[in-house]
Amino acid sequence: MAVIETAPGEAMAEHTDVEEPSATRSAHEGILRRQSARESAARTYARALPIVPVRARGLTIEGADGRRYLDCLSGAGTLALGHNHPVVLEAIRKVLDSGAPLHVLDLATPVKDAFITELFRTLPPGLADHARVQFCGPAGTDAVEAAFKLVRAATGRNGMLAFAGAYHGMTSGALEASGDAFDVRVARLPYPQDYRCPFGVGGPHGAELAARWTESVLDDPKSGVPLPAGMILEPVQGEGGVLPAPDAWMRRMRRITADRSIPLIADEVQTGVGRTGAFWAVEHSGITPDVMVLSKAIGGSLPLAVVVYREELDVWEPGAHAGTFRGNQLAMAAGTATMAYVRENGLTERAATLGARMLEQLRGLSREFSVIGDVRGRGLMIGVEIVEEGEGGGERSGVAGPRRANGPDETGRSGGARGSDEDCRAAGLLGSVGLSSADDAGPLVMPGSIASPRTASPELAVAVQRECLRRGLIVELGGRHASVVRLLPPLTITDEQATAVLDRLADAVAAVSRGHGRGAG
């Protein structure tokens, strides 16, 4: 039986299709049956992933049925070091063995002091030097709510700016700023992307148009959008389909908000702690936000959420935002150990290097199978969009756009070929004044023609996810149409494990293509 290395000096057996003993299978099925009968209809992952984890280490999970899986869900990005990493377990045991209190509300403790010290050591320098931290309830969505309350209190304004495709949590205020909102106090802005660019353009010019739209909404006295309390954005939209924001666009949003005294909130709940190849994803663009919303990996696998913000915004009265379970001692200890391990062992650089390699290999797979419409991501936050086959990929009529590039740009997105200002004006997207970037030399110009993206296929994406699970690979689905297969492996994934993940994903895509009577593109 083959083995998959999961940590130095450790190995776990790779999944095979050997039939599990009937008693084990019966226990496994009984647990799933009771879950279905007792738990809320709102459960999500359990529907698509009918497994019962009983042991885990690193990338590997063992189920109650005896089968082993490679986990590229990682607690939706929570497990930066994978399952049960030794440094995390040691930190938790140390607190337990010390007799320290496990629950002290917001009182100061040595454990909390160590966590804050490590957190501030990692923050962008422009923020860390003049920052305050607010411990919230244990979920990222509560940190988002706290951030909204903070900027509203600090500015005396009420509205918020957010972006199409965003996901900020499931509480009411966070939902208002997310893509599925139905009753909002939030102005929605276009988020730049290539494959399904809202302007039919993509590339640098699509990002420029998105930025100009934002400026117009804010500066037009008849836009219907009064000066807001803040803007919230994700440096990489995760649930929105793994869409990395262009660095120049991020810098533009920073300047737009700073010029208008609008606090900029960076939602780093999923992108933080090395996930994208920088400790915090905003570092790729070099910006310093006014507020950062942090959760998931900062708790080292345990529930923890904080808001970090410029001290000038700290206008709250005592108790303005609180929660009984803010600042869990075990989570802070686990989080301190996780952040220190990532920082000291160069795991951000590792995520950047390995992520770029995986993206390149997946783009090769997309040339082989036409069910893959697009591959994108940054670091170890990767998305593969699954689309319908057999559709024409003809050019858009009347609008020029970017040709598919030969390789990724600085964000890990597919790039575009540049055209001329005359091309832009012919498409009706430029006035008499050429577009230019505030941060990059030269004009941002209209690229060449773009092939229309094929229809997203949530059905085929579900089939790919199911085939992955049959092969012992756990992946998540996301995106606007739930058609993006998402890979969020731990930052500790080895080269051998990465190869195994991609091999199993390739086999799953091939099986789905064959099963639908379609082959390679």
Side-chain angles (χ1 to χ4, degrees), residues 139-300:
T141 188
D142 191 67
V144 170
E145 298 283 351
F148 288 178
K149 289 170 63 176
L150 172 71
V151 296
R152 283 168 173 153
T155 64
R157 303 189 291 263
N158 191 50
M160 296 295 301
L161 297 176
F163 291 87
Y167 178 77
H168 299 292
M170 295 299 291
T171 51
S172 60
L175 277 175
E176 285 185 350
S178 300
D180 294 329
F182 59 89
D183 182 19
V184 302
R185 294 181 295 164
V186 176
R188 199 77 51 190
L189 301 169
Y191 191 93
Q193 56 175 305
D194 282 348
Y195 191 61
R196 301 189 185 279
C197 175
F199 304 104
V201 176
H205 191 66
E208 173 70 13
L209 292 175
R212 287 197 169 203
W213 182 282
T214 300
E215 290 177 321
S216 175
V217 165
L218 289 170
D219 296 341
D220 181 354
K222 298 296 184 182
S223 70
V225 179
L227 191 66
M231 172 191 284
I232 185 168
L233 59 76
E234 299 160 277
V236 181
Q237 283 195 348
E239 302 302 322
V242 191
L243 300 172
D247 292 335
W249 178 84
M250 287 284 290
R251 292 189 286 270
R252 188 73 166 272
M253 292 303 103
R254 173 66 286 188
R255 193 179 71 254
I256 287 171
T257 53
D259 288 349
R260 294 159 180 81
S261 298
I262 301 170
L264 178 62
I265 305 168
D267 184 339
E268 293 258 16
V269 168
Q270 193 166 101
T271 54
V273 194
R275 170 62 54 190
T276 68
F279 207 97
W280 307 107
V282 293
E283 295 179 82
H284 292 292
S285 60
I287 72 165
T288 301
D290 301 297
V291 183
M292 291 177 65
V293 178
L294 314 177
S295 188
K296 290 190 184 291
I298 66 162

Side-chain angles (χ1 to χ4, degrees), residues 12 29 108 133 139 145 173 185 226 252 275 283-284 315 317 363-364 392 397 421 474 482 512 519:
M12 292 188 73
E29 292 174 350
V133 59
E145 298 283 351
R185 294 181 295 164
R252 188 73 166 272
R275 170 62 54 190
E283 295 179 82
H284 292 292
V315 299
E317 296 295 329
R363 289 192 176 107
S397 60
D421 284 341
I474 298 172
V512 170

